[in-house]
């Protein structure tokens, strides 16, 4: 991996140079919420954000996604995506995309997801954790691939890690904007990472977590929190790794229709409903417990389905904390 330095005074020119790759989307503050939106200038960016409500997943697996059009009795599949730039992704969200890659880019490959992934330029950025973050426990607080460029804050600029051929192309095309990294820059980089590591306030004990969940299937803790849970599905909607969806046909008139897929939630009662009227997760307890098994059960081939971003905690109207639930479940094993 190549390392270069972007001085502070060149940051705006660097940002503007990315327009040649397509529309730029970055973190923008809307009231008390951050969201990835199209940005036209550096001034619109909120690079000190903690997390957006919807993760960058929304650019690859859209909340409501048109798959086909039915026109004059013929289905039309038009996958035509423009190149675009996602600027300012945190390490945990890049890990989230890597988890989605294993699902959507495995055989059979999802053509919609692949097209958007191929057309995206990913620029990551360093961050400081808040009271919701527990990515350090899951090893997702630092990322070594899955990005084109990654910016780490320095006192007088940014240490830039180049992670792809596209990243190298940007560095070559804008060679005059970058400098070689000095020993002083590396010292500042190390200081920032050490400070960041010590700033984590929340951690998940993942040791033996799969065995614990096997043993604690009937723990009373699940029932306790299932009664508090509103079953609204917020945690699913904001999760960077949830990928349940439903497909439906929406008729526009007698001769035309749109086939859509849209986010679905395992907290919804009809999610487990199958032919014949049987529901394999009929109660809120079943659905609540299922989500924790889905996110926290360790699979040696793919790891955990959680990146510790803290969205499910921050945007839960019942204020249920993911780590606290698992700690109580572990504590219930006597």
């Amino acid at each position: 991996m190549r390392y270069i330095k972007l001085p502070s005074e060149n940051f705006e020119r660097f940002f503007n140079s990315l327009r040649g790759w397509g529309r730029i989307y970055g973190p923008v503050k809307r009231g008390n919420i951050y969201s990835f939106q199209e940005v036209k200038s550096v001034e619109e960016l909120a690079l000190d954000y903690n997390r957006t409500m919807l993760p960058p997943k929304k650019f690859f697996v859209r909340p409501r996604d048109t798959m086909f059009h039915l026109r004059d009795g013929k289905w039309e599949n038009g996958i035509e995506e423009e190149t675009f730039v996602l600027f300012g992704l945190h390490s945990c969200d890049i890990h989230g995309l890597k988890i989605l890659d294993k699902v959507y880019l495995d055989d059979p490959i999802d053509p919609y997801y692949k097209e958007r992934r191929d057309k995206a330029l990913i620029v990551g950025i360093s961050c400081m954790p808040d009271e919701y973050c527990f990515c350090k426990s899951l090893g997702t607080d630092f990322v070594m691939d899955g990005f084109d460029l990654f910016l780490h804050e320095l006192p007088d600029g940014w240490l830039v890690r180049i992670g792809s051929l596209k990243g190298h192309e940007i560095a070559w095309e804008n060679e005059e904007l970058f400098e070689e990294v000095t020993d002083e820059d590396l010292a500042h980089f190390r200081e920032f990472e050490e400070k960041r590591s010590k700033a984590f306030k929340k951690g998940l004990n993942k040791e033996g977590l799969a065995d614990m969940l096997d043993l604690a299937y009937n723990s009373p803790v699940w029932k306790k929190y299932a009664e508090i849970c509103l079953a609204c599905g917020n945690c699913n909607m904001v999760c960077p790794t949830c990928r349940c969806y439903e497909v439906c046909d929406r008729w526009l008139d007698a001769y035309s229709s749109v086939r859509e897929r849209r986010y679905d939630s395992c907290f919804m009662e009809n999610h487990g409903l199958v032919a014949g009227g049987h529901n394999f997760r009929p109660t809120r307890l079943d659905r609540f417990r299922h989500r924790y098994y889905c996110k926290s059960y360790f699979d040696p081939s793919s790891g955990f389905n959680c990146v510790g971003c803290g969205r499910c905690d921050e945007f839960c109207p019942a204020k249920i904390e993911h780590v606290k639930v698992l700690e109580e479940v572990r504590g219930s094993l006597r």
Side-chain angles (χ1 to χ4, degrees), residues 5 180-187:
K5 180 181 179 179
E180 292 299 318
V181 177
T182 66
D183 290 341
E184 184 180 11
D185 295 326
L186 293 177

Side-chain angles (χ1 to χ4, degrees), residues 192-210:
F192 179 87
E193 289 301 320
E194 290 174 353
K195 176 183 176 182
R196 179 171 177 266
S197 180
K198 294 175 182 177
F200 282 92
K201 302 173 184 177
K202 181 176 289 190
L204 171 66
N205 180 6
K206 66 179 189 295
E207 297 302 320
L209 189 56

Side-chain angles (χ1 to χ4, degrees), residues 212 219 221 224-225 323-333:
M212 183 201 77
S219 169
V221 175
K224 168 189 169 182
Y225 280 102
V323 170
K324 186 177 180 181
V325 172
L326 290 173
E327 286 176 346
E328 289 191 26
V329 170
R330 184 185 291 275
S332 70
L333 294 174

Side-chain angles (χ1 to χ4, degrees), residues 11 14-15 18 24-28 34-37 39 45-52 54-56 59 85-94 97 121-128 147-152 158 311:
F11 182 80
F14 162 71
F15 174 84
L18 298 178
I24 304 176
Y25 298 88
V28 174
Y34 294 97
S35 174
F36 277 100
Q37 302 290 338
V39 290
L45 292 170
L47 295 180
D48 59 346
Y49 79 107
N50 40 41
R51 66 186 56 77
T52 55
L54 287 182
F59 292 97
V85 180
L86 284 183
F87 192 96
L89 271 65
H90 289 166
S91 172
C92 59
D93 277 338
I94 295 175
L97 291 178
L121 178 74
I122 305 293
V123 181
I125 200 165
S126 58
C127 59
M128 289 296 289
F147 59 86
D148 299 294
L149 297 170
F150 201 103
L151 279 57
H152 295 269
W158 306 85
R311 285 184 174 91

Side-chain angles (χ1 to χ4, degrees), residues 228-243:
I228 300 172
C229 174
L230 302 177
C232 64
N234 260 21
C235 51
N236 294 130
M237 296 301 104
V238 302
C239 179
T241 66
C242 276
R243 58 259 189 184

